[in-house]
Amino acid sequence: MDIKSILEKRNISPDPLKDQFFLIDDSIVEKMVELAELNKKDIVLEVGAGVGNLTKELAKKAGRVIAFEIDERFKPELLNLPKNVDLRMEDAWAYIQLDGKKLKRKQYNKVVANLPFSFAEKFLHNLTFLIYDKVILLIPISLSKKIETNAIFSSFFKVEEKLIVEKNNFFPIPDTTSVVIDLVKLPDPIKSKNLALFLRQFIYQYEQTKVKNSLREGLIKFVLLSKNKKLTKKEAKFIIDQSGINKELIETIPTGFEVYEQISEKFPNIIFSEPKSK
């Protein structure tokens, strides 16, 4: 698809301040669709449809595509999309955000998108507790590295970088190199008996609660779900006290990354023997 010609025909000047950087290499579009492993049972979410170059390719393989585009200037071009595209000319955020952090599946089971740069990071927070089958994103390479090192993101995802996308593959040319990633959800920590990972996810889920309380409840839930045993609050408190975790940190709500890092360090993957109740 000749993106530049379409923009000229529609008299559209891309606005970099609105993250309007259009992927002009069709082979990269095709690669993203291939990585998504689509079939007619799939419902795909795309945020930032633009002129619809990725949307059209997704529609060929998926059963349905839910495509969001907030810029009304693109509407005349997007009205020509296939009938299995559910076009929504509005801000995607109200649709995708979760009602509280809990596991749930939205109408879509896969996400494939060249995400607007400013939208990408907050969208990742949304994906932490969403059940999905596949997420293929084109994002700045700096964000990909951040996912790997960020204590919260790394508690939920593993990044598989599939394709480096140089700046000259976009119009207009952005300031940063991008990468196509497969955002792989980490295995269920209950099934893998990974206590530290479970606690990190649990604390993030209850981020408005003091760490000592969410740690205690997380320990109780982990033992119940992974061992089918009951752990008392007193026993959970003993485990926390013996762990050596910073006592100042656990008296506050989790405001930074240090508490997540301490949990990884102080709590083993397999819970040690619980103390006997007296």
Side-chain angles (χ1 to χ4, degrees):
M1 181 182 288
D2 190 340
I3 304 293
K4 293 180 181 179
S5 295
I6 292 172
L7 294 174
E8 184 177 342
K9 171 187 170 185
R10 299 293 182 185
N11 196 27
I12 297 173
S13 296
D15 186 351
L17 295 178
K18 294 181 178 179
D19 295 330
Q20 290 180 343
F21 301 101
F22 298 91
L23 185 59
I24 58 177
D25 189 329
D26 289 342
S27 67
I28 297 172
V29 171
E30 292 167 3
K31 181 64 175 178
M32 291 177 68
V33 174
E34 177 188 332
L35 288 169
E37 301 175 351
L38 299 174
N39 61 60
K40 293 302 179 181
K41 294 181 180 179
D42 289 324
I43 301 175
V44 182
L45 172 69
E46 182 193 11
V47 178
V51 297
N53 54 332
L54 175 58
T55 321
K56 289 179 181 178
E57 295 304 313
L58 292 171
K60 291 177 183 178
K61 302 287 186 179
R64 181 179 169 215
V65 180
I66 303 171
F68 280 85
E69 176 53 57
I70 197 171
D71 194 331
E72 288 286 338
R73 297 180 299 168
F74 298 109
K75 188 172 183 178
E77 187 68 28
L78 294 173
L79 289 176
N80 297 319
L81 290 169
K83 292 183 178 180
N84 63 334
V85 176
D86 179 359
L87 176 62
R88 306 193 183 191
M89 300 298 300
E90 58 189 83
D91 190 339
W93 186 242
Y95 172 78
I96 68 169
Q97 63 184 330
L98 295 176
D99 179 16
K101 291 189 176 73
K102 56 186 178 181
L103 287 171
K104 64 189 295 187
R105 183 186 288 275
K106 297 291 269 187
Q107 289 177 293
Y108 51 91
N109 67 307
K110 293 185 178 180
V111 182
V112 186
N114 172 16
L115 283 180
F117 292 177
S118 62
F119 189 85
E121 187 165 341
K122 69 176 185 178
F123 184 48
L124 289 173
H125 282 283
N126 171 268
L127 290 174
T128 53
F129 285 97
L130 187 73
I131 299 172
Y132 60 78
D133 296 327
K134 201 82 170 172
V135 172
I136 303 297
L137 302 175
L138 178 55
I139 58 174
I141 198 165
S142 58
L143 180 56
S144 175
K145 301 306 180 189
K146 184 175 183 178
I147 297 170
E148 295 176 336
T149 58
N150 180 290
I152 294 173
F153 291 153
S154 63
S155 298
F156 294 91
F157 311 120
K158 178 180 72 172
V159 173
E160 294 184 1
E161 295 187 348
K162 297 296 186 179
L163 181 66
I164 300 297
V165 182
E166 299 296 342
K167 293 183 281 188
N168 59 5
N169 287 297
F170 294 90
F171 176 77
I173 297 175
D175 294 329
T176 180
T177 299
S178 296
V179 61
V180 176
I181 66 165
D182 187 343
L183 193 67
V184 180
K185 186 82 83 172
L186 293 179
D188 183 345
I190 292 297
K191 293 180 180 178
S192 62
K193 309 291 186 185
N194 191 330
L195 172 62
L197 182 62
F198 178 86
L199 291 176
R200 281 157 55 192
Q201 292 184 0
F202 193 87
I203 284 172
Y204 181 60
Q205 189 173 10
Y206 296 96
E207 59 184 343
Q208 298 306 314
T209 303
K210 279 189 177 182
V211 173
K212 67 177 183 180
N213 295 329
S214 53
L215 264 181
R216 183 190 65 218
E217 296 307 313
L219 282 166
I220 291 170
K221 186 171 183 179
F222 181 84
V223 171
L224 179 63
L225 294 177
S226 66
K227 296 190 170 188
N228 197 28
K229 294 182 180 179
K230 289 185 178 181
L231 190 69
T232 67
K233 290 184 178 182
K234 182 179 178 180
E235 290 169 339
K237 182 179 182 302
F238 177 86
I239 293 172
I240 294 168
D241 291 343
Q242 293 298 306
S243 71
I245 193 169
N246 186 296
K247 299 203 180 294
E248 291 184 5
L249 278 179
I250 66 173
E251 290 294 336
T252 64
I253 63 172
T255 54
F257 296 150
E258 187 178 357
V259 67
Y260 296 95
E261 293 163 354
Q262 283 239 335
I263 288 170
S264 293
E265 178 186 341
K266 302 297 184 182
F267 287 87
N269 284 341
I270 304 298
I271 192 168
F272 49 81
S273 298
E274 303 88 356
K276 299 291 184 181
S277 298
K278 294 182 180 179

Coordinates of all heavy atoms in Angstrom, one line a residue, residues 15 20 37 77 117 120 153 184 213 254 261:
D15 N 0.7 14.1 12.0 CA 1.1 14.9 13.1 C 1.9 14.1 14.1 O 1.4 13.3 14.8 CB -0.2 15.5 13.8 CG 0.1 16.5 14.9 OD1 1.3 16.6 15.2 OD2 -0.8 17.1 15.5
Q20 N 1.7 10.0 15.0 CA 1.3 9.5 13.7 C 2.5 9.2 12.8 O 3.0 10.1 12.1 CB 0.3 10.6 13.0 CG -1.0 10.6 13.7 CD -2.0 11.6 13.1 OE1 -1.6 12.5 12.3 NE2 -3.3 11.5 13.4
E37 N -0.6 -15.6 14.0 CA -1.2 -16.9 13.8 C -2.7 -16.9 13.9 O -3.4 -17.6 14.7 CB -0.6 -17.9 14.9 CG 0.9 -18.0 14.9 CD 1.4 -18.8 16.1 OE1 0.6 -19.1 17.0 OE2 2.6 -19.1 16.1
E77 N -11.1 7.0 4.2 CA -10.3 5.8 3.8 C -10.7 4.5 4.5 O -10.7 3.5 3.9 CB -8.8 6.1 4.0 CG -7.8 5.1 3.4 CD -7.8 5.1 1.9 OE1 -8.1 6.2 1.3 OE2 -7.5 4.1 1.4
F117 N 3.0 5.7 20.2 CA 4.0 5.6 21.2 C 3.5 6.0 22.6 O 3.8 5.4 23.6 CB 5.2 6.5 20.8 CG 5.9 6.0 19.5 CD1 7.0 6.8 19.0 CD2 5.6 4.8 18.9 CE1 7.7 6.3 17.9 CE2 6.3 4.4 17.8 CZ 7.3 5.1 17.3
A120 N 1.3 3.3 24.3 CA 1.9 1.9 24.4 C 2.1 1.5 25.9 O 1.6 0.4 26.3 CB 3.2 1.8 23.7
F153 N 6.2 -4.9 34.9 CA 6.0 -5.6 33.6 C 6.7 -7.0 33.6 O 6.1 -8.0 33.0 CB 6.6 -4.8 32.4 CG 5.8 -3.5 32.2 CD1 6.4 -2.4 31.6 CD2 4.5 -3.4 32.5 CE1 5.7 -1.2 31.4 CE2 3.8 -2.2 32.3 CZ 4.4 -1.1 31.7
V184 N 4.7 -12.3 25.5 CA 4.3 -13.6 26.0 C 3.9 -13.5 27.5 O 4.7 -13.1 28.3 CB 5.4 -14.7 25.8 CG1 5.0 -16.0 26.3 CG2 5.8 -14.7 24.3
N213 N 0.0 -6.3 54.4 CA -1.3 -6.9 54.3 C -1.5 -7.8 53.1 O -2.0 -8.9 53.1 CB -2.4 -5.9 54.4 CG -2.4 -5.2 55.8 OD1 -2.0 -5.8 56.8 ND2 -2.8 -3.9 55.8
P254 N 2.8 -0.1 47.7 CA 3.9 -0.2 46.8 C 4.0 1.0 45.8 O 3.3 1.0 44.8 CB 3.6 -1.5 46.1 CG 2.2 -1.7 46.2 CD 1.8 -1.1 47.5
E261 N 11.4 -6.0 43.8 CA 12.7 -6.6 43.7 C 13.1 -7.3 45.0 O 13.7 -8.4 45.0 CB 13.8 -5.4 43.4 CG 13.6 -4.8 42.1 CD 14.3 -3.5 41.9 OE1 14.8 -3.0 42.9 OE2 14.3 -2.9 40.8

